[in-house]
């Protein structure tokens, strides 16, 4: 799965994002500083359970307050 997300540009935000990913493997990662308020990240995530897991992860990230777009 490949996704784009926006995280707040403050200490701990990236850690919180990673915790929301759970124990999934990260296959690629790119961090883009946006401005003093936000950063844009692109993340490849390994899925083991197909579409159901993909939708579950998108819902989880959105519920944690991360604007996210599925680029898969």
């Amino acid at each position: 799965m490949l996704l784009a997300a926006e995280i707040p540009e403050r200490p701990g935000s990236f850690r919180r994002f990673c915790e929301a990913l759970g124990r999934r493997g990260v296959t690629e990662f790119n961090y883009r500083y946006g401005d003093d308020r936000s950063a844009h990240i692109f993340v490849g995530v390994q899925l083991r359970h197909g579409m159901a897991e993909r939708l579950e992860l998108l819902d989880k990230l959105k519920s944690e307050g991360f604007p996210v777009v599925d680029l898969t």
Side-chain angles (χ1 to χ4, degrees):
M1 171 180 198
L2 182 63
L3 53 92
E6 184 176 314
I7 63 172
E9 184 59 57
R10 64 175 177 257
S13 294
F14 179 63
R15 174 181 227 135
R16 198 167 64 88
F17 179 83
C18 289
E19 288 170 353
L21 290 178
R23 297 188 51 89
R24 295 172 179 91
V26 173
T27 59
E28 62 183 289
F29 175 78
N30 190 292
Y31 182 98
R32 298 283 173 141
Y33 177 81
D35 56 33
D36 291 341
R37 295 178 313 202
S38 65
H40 304 279
I41 58 176
F42 300 91
V43 182
V45 180
Q46 181 181 20
L47 301 179
R48 295 186 182 104
H49 304 288
M51 180 64 82
E53 183 179 6
R54 189 170 129 201
L55 297 174
E56 177 185 310
L57 180 55
L58 289 170
D59 287 343
K60 169 78 172 165
L61 292 170
K62 290 175 185 175
S63 73
E64 295 283 331
F66 297 109
V68 63
V69 176
D70 185 358
L71 301 174
T72 304

